[in-house]
Amino acid sequence: MNPKASLLVSVLGFSDPFSAEVKPRILLMGLRRSGKSSIQKVVFHKMSPNETLFLESTNKICREDVSNSSFVNFQIWDFPGQIDFFDPTFDYEMIFRGTGALIFVIDSQDDYVEALNRLHLTVTRAYKVNPDINFEVFIHKVDGLSDDHKIEKQRDIHKRANDDLADSLERIHLSFYLTSIYDHSIFEAFSKVVQKLIPQLPTLENLLNIFISNSRIEKAFLFDVVSKIYIATDSTPVDMQTYELCCDVIDVVIDISCIYGLSGDECGTPYDKESMAIIRLNNTTVMYLKEVTKFLALVCFLREESFERKGKD
């Protein structure tokens, strides 16, 4: 591997990009039982997807700071499905004014006519208060659908949602994602949402592009090790299998470190400046993980023959 890897690590050794005063807010909205709370528990609390079957319905707005143990720093607000925008006690202007992203969750396995009506009401009202909000639509619970059925659902929901907004004077853009808590699709979707809230994203992407263009590395990611959300990647396409492998190697490093990396009287995170991993896959590809900060990991893919030549260029 090219020695420029160490240069990238030193360049990226920055502090938390979000100051304590500027904390983006992400809203989780949708009808009851659409899966909002399950998404939050799986992504940010490492809850097993099967455990979410026992979660009770949300009956009030739940706020949480995602900042205590993660590089990713924002507030996430989980809204009950029965929220009434016309209730005088609901100060929607205050809520939407401080929002960076609004995630609307639609249950793909249910009749989503009512959900699309609520999506239209929510988006149009939020846009009038804050046109800078990123509107994200999670077409959720797709794990029980075939690939063809997933595409059909996405196409139908995309068309109906945009047709409903066509009469609006404002040009409101919606982003759509197929998600499930039973695979890595929910983590990838959340990665895309969070990336839009990071002002340094263009700089990080440019650094990673320079990094791989000056080395034999084929793909590079910056991962938040707590949530397994990737903060940035280079400009080459991301496929689900590659993303899943990255999540797996992070899990391996954390799990092994928890078992063997801490003494009995030691506390805290097992992930530190000494953390790294080299894994050779059975297709002549090498995965390389290196600690960048105590919350960030650089995960790279390169050919085995390129890895063997490390330090020779």
Side-chain angles (χ1 to χ4, degrees):
M1 188 176 58
N2 195 291
K4 291 184 176 64
S6 60
L7 174 60
L8 178 68
V9 170
S10 63
V11 170
L12 291 174
F14 44 75
S15 59
D16 190 332
F18 300 128
S19 68
E21 292 76 21
V22 182
K23 187 174 291 187
R25 181 185 300 159
I26 295 178
L27 309 185
L28 267 176
M29 309 187 84
L31 299 185
R32 292 185 55 152
R33 310 306 300 177
S34 59
K36 304 181 298 298
S37 299
S38 298
I39 289 172
Q40 182 183 359
K41 295 297 185 182
V42 168
V43 175
F44 299 106
H45 294 272
K46 297 186 179 296
M47 180 178 283
S48 165
N50 292 327
E51 292 182 72
T52 63
L53 297 173
F54 304 101
L55 289 175
E56 296 182 0
S57 295
T58 304
N59 54 21
K60 63 179 181 179
I61 300 175
C62 299
R63 311 176 189 181
E64 179 182 1
D65 281 344
V66 182
S67 58
N68 294 332
S69 61
S70 173
F71 173 83
V72 180
N73 192 346
F74 54 83
Q75 286 185 333
I76 187 163
W77 292 25
D78 184 5
F79 282 75
Q82 66 274 18
I83 197 77
D84 183 5
F85 288 106
F86 298 102
D87 186 335
T89 63
F90 180 69
D91 190 355
Y92 66 86
E93 287 199 8
M94 178 277 294
I95 292 173
F96 291 143
R97 195 177 299 117
T99 296
L102 190 159
I103 299 173
F104 196 92
V105 183
I106 296 178
D107 185 346
S108 67
Q109 299 186 26
D110 199 2
D111 181 7
Y112 42 78
V113 173
E114 183 183 353
L116 288 170
N117 291 335
R118 180 63 65 87
L119 170 65
H120 180 265
L121 172 65
T122 304
V123 167
T124 51
R125 182 148 295 193
Y127 186 88
K128 290 177 181 177
V129 175
N130 181 4
D132 294 325
I133 293 177
N134 296 308
F135 295 106
E136 322 284 353
V137 180
F138 285 8
I139 304 170
H140 197 48
K141 302 182 183 179
V142 297
D143 45 277
L145 306 177
S146 66
D147 289 342
D148 290 342
H149 205 181
K150 289 178 186 178
I151 295 172
E152 181 183 336
K153 290 273 188 181
Q154 184 175 23
R155 185 183 296 117
D156 185 45
I157 292 174
H158 183 281
K159 183 178 186 304
R160 292 194 192 191
N162 283 302
D163 285 349
D164 290 342
L165 292 172
D167 297 333
S168 180
L169 295 177
E170 298 86 4
R171 297 180 62 86
I172 302 175
H173 174 73
L174 304 177
S175 297
F176 296 84
Y177 309 85
L178 294 169
T179 61
S180 168
I181 59 173
Y182 290 95
D183 58 34
H184 290 84
S185 59
I186 190 62
F187 293 94
E188 185 175 22
F190 241 104
S191 297
K192 299 289 188 183
V193 173
V194 171
Q195 286 169 23
K196 295 177 183 179
L197 304 180
I198 300 177
Q200 294 88 349
L201 180 62
T203 302
L204 294 177
E205 290 177 338
N206 186 48
L207 281 169
L208 290 172
N209 283 330
I210 294 171
F211 175 47
I212 67 169
S213 66
N214 287 278
S215 66
R216 290 187 172 85
I217 288 171
E218 298 182 352
K219 186 67 182 170
F221 295 87
L222 273 178
F223 265 88
D224 174 73
V225 296
V226 176
S227 64
K228 288 183 292 189
I229 287 174
Y230 70 92
I231 306 303
T233 186
D234 59 84
S235 58
T236 59
V238 177
D239 63 80
M240 181 61 72
Q241 185 179 22
T242 299
Y243 180 78
E244 290 176 358
L245 285 170
C246 290
C247 293
D248 289 344
V249 74
I250 291 171
D251 283 339
V252 167
V253 170
I254 298 299
D255 291 346
I256 295 296
S257 298
C258 283
I259 297 172
Y260 301 107
L262 295 176
S263 60
D265 57 349
E266 197 173 359
C267 60
T269 176
Y271 184 82
D272 56 31
K273 63 181 180 181
E274 303 296 330
S275 296
M276 67 167 293
I278 299 169
I279 298 179
R280 287 176 167 83
L281 306 180
N282 58 9
N283 61 354
T284 71
T285 300
V286 174
M287 293 185 65
Y288 178 80
L289 178 146
K290 182 70 177 73
E291 180 266 356
V292 177
T293 73
K294 64 179 180 178
F295 300 129
L296 277 180
L298 176 68
V299 183
C300 304
F301 290 80
L302 66 160
R303 290 291 159 193
E304 193 167 7
E305 59 269 22
S306 300
F307 184 79
E308 296 299 334
R309 298 184 61 183
K310 58 183 176 181
K312 297 180 181 180
D313 292 342

